[in-house]
Amino acid sequence: MALTIKQVPAAQGTRWVRDGFRTMFKRPLAFVGIYALVLIAGTLFWNIPVIGPLIVAAAMPLVSIGYMIATRSALQDGPVNPAHFMEPLSGSHPQRRRSMIALCAAYAVAGVAVYLISEWADGGSLGRLQAMMQSPEVDMPAMEAEIDQSPVLLGMIVRLVLLALISVPFWHAPALVHWGNQGTAQALFSSTVAVWRNRGAFAVYGLAWSAAFMAFGVVMALGMVLLGGAGTQSIVGIISGPVALFFSAAFYVSLLFTFNDSFGMNGQGGPDAADGAPPSQDSDKPA
């Protein structure tokens, strides 16, 4: 059955964030745990020469839909575990599996394009800065000179803009392939239309997440100032790691709610993957 695209008010963006945090508290350890596993796996693959970053980029659509499946399971009082990430590639739907693999490949190609364009824009200065920061002995004068004499800021802006642009077609695409039984090209198109129609809500959603992360940073900074002492920095470091994981996992949990509202799905994450998606009764544009 065809999915239908809905339009929601801009204020819905803050509700998506709230729903993400609320659902996180249903299975906090499980959601944070699978996010930590994703980070560990990504780090291990990233260190594989040449193909490692490609594998990591190709896996991102699976991370997105895997978290959406896990969130749906939590809303239905089901389990949350790493098996959800492989569910889109399993089952008895070869066409859907091929579409998902093609989507992963397309994201990897888009990631390579972003990297090449950004490297061209800043002349590789961001990579040099990262190498300097990872050096056992940080050379501050050299880092300052690199920042002053290279277009590193331009490269960062280009990266952010390009990543924002490619996120639009890929935002809903994994769910449209998995739950909507759409092909790769159709899913990318439908996602683009849905994000554009709800651009106000997504703008508020992005601002709300930015505010949440900034508030966390301010609280950590105030803690260091108010507590003082030699051990404060280490304490803040110990606290900030798990909290950052929690916030990041909550972001991925919130993805399901952006999909539900954009395509008129029910609050539990929509229909079973094998059943397709029912049409919305009050939307005016088929996906």
Side-chain angles (χ1 to χ4, degrees):
M1 297 183 181
L3 287 167
T4 48
I5 300 174
K6 297 188 70 175
Q7 189 167 3
V8 299
Q12 196 71 6
T14 58
R15 183 174 179 179
W16 292 339
V17 177
R18 292 198 305 269
D19 287 344
F21 279 110
R22 189 185 70 245
T23 308
M24 268 292 296
F25 284 107
K26 294 176 70 70
R27 299 283 194 279
L29 293 179
F31 280 123
V32 170
I34 61 175
Y35 185 78
L37 287 176
V38 168
L39 285 182
I40 293 170
T43 302
L44 292 175
F45 279 108
W46 188 270
N47 291 323
I48 299 175
V50 183
I51 65 170
L54 287 175
I55 294 174
V56 172
M60 292 310 297
L62 294 178
V63 173
S64 172
I65 185 59
Y67 246 99
M68 293 174 75
I69 295 170
T71 304
R72 180 188 176 193
S73 178
L75 289 171
Q76 297 174 339
D77 296 321
V80 172
N81 56 60
H84 294 306
F85 295 117
M86 297 311 299
E87 186 175 325
L89 299 180
S90 61
S92 57
H93 296 80
Q95 180 57 49
R96 187 171 63 199
R97 183 163 55 248
R98 286 194 293 270
S99 295
M100 188 65 71
I101 292 172
L103 188 69
C104 292
Y107 193 85
V109 171
V112 170
V114 170
Y115 172 78
L116 293 176
I117 294 173
S118 302
E119 285 290 295
W120 170 78
D122 67 11
S125 57
L126 183 60
R128 290 192 295 271
L129 277 175
Q130 290 174 336
M132 291 177 185
M133 288 187 290
Q134 293 170 359
S135 175
E137 296 183 2
V138 178
D139 188 344
M140 291 304 299
M143 288 183 60
E144 292 173 358
E146 182 68 36
I147 294 172
D148 293 338
Q149 299 173 11
S150 66
V152 62
L153 180 59
L154 173 62
M156 293 177 67
I157 294 173
V158 169
R159 282 175 174 82
L160 290 174
V161 170
L162 292 179
L163 287 173
L165 289 176
I166 67 171
S167 71
V168 171
F170 285 96
W171 192 272
H172 298 300
L176 290 168
V177 170
H178 185 67
W179 282 317
N181 296 318
Q182 294 190 357
T184 304
Q186 184 184 8
L188 292 170
F189 175 77
S190 298
S191 177
T192 302
V193 174
V195 172
W196 176 251
R197 292 195 70 191
N198 292 297
R199 56 193 179 277
F202 275 99
V204 172
Y205 175 73
L207 290 173
W209 273 116
S210 298
F213 278 98
M214 288 177 64
F216 166 62
V218 170
V219 170
M220 291 294 101
L222 285 175
M224 293 182 65
V225 172
L226 294 176
L227 295 177
T232 302
Q233 186 172 358
S234 60
I235 294 173
V236 170
I238 293 172
I239 296 174
S240 62
V243 174
L245 285 175
F246 183 90
F247 271 60
S248 299
F251 167 77
Y252 276 98
V253 169
S254 71
L255 295 180
L256 177 67
F257 303 104
T258 71
F259 176 74
N260 283 346
D261 286 347
S262 296
F263 291 91
M265 310 297 280
N266 62 63
Q268 299 300 311
D272 292 333
D275 297 334
S280 171
Q281 298 300 314
D282 56 355
S283 179
D284 57 3
K285 184 176 180 62

